[in-house]
């Protein structure tokens, strides 16, 4: 059988996660963790008892809604705060 058709254009590199930069450039719209938990908005305080607000240190997070990001270059890649601890 013939190969499946190619998409009309490749996705923007910023929409894809790249291991080479730990997802630092990732600007996609994933809003759930790999375990299925819904991400909280970056402008809300985390539920960890820590009142640190990442959007104050990384202003671009104010526009990131509740999308996964990696502002602090964690080796595990993009992440988010959730309503579930642990």
């Amino acid at each position: 059988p013939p190969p499946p058709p190619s998409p009309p254009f490749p996705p923007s590199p910023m929409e894809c996660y790249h291991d080479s930069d730990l997802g630092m450039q990732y600007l996609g719209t994933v809003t759930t963790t790999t375990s299925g938990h819904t991400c909280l908005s970056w402008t809300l305080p985390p539920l960890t008892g820590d009142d640190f607000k990442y959007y104050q240190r990384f202003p671009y997070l104010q526009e990131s809604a509740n999308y996964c990001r990696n502002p602090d270059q964690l080796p595990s890649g993009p992440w988010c705060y959730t309503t579930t601890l642990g």
Side-chain angles (χ1 to χ4, degrees), residues 61-85:
L61 291 175
Q62 290 183 33
E63 304 298 322
S64 293
N66 64 331
Y67 304 139
C68 296
R69 297 290 183 258
N70 193 7
D72 45 4
Q73 302 179 4
L74 291 178
S76 55
W79 59 278
C80 67
Y81 286 113
T82 68
T83 57
T84 305
L85 297 175

Side-chain angles (χ1 to χ4, degrees), residues 36-56:
H37 299 291
T38 300
C39 296
L40 292 174
S41 170
W42 286 99
T43 59
L44 294 175
L47 299 177
T48 60
D50 178 9
D51 65 350
F52 178 74
K53 296 175 180 70
Y54 272 86
Y55 73 87
Q56 290 175 337

Side-chain angles (χ1 to χ4, degrees), residues 28-40:
T29 57
V30 171
T31 60
T32 56
T33 65
T34 55
S35 55
H37 299 291
T38 300
C39 296
L40 292 174

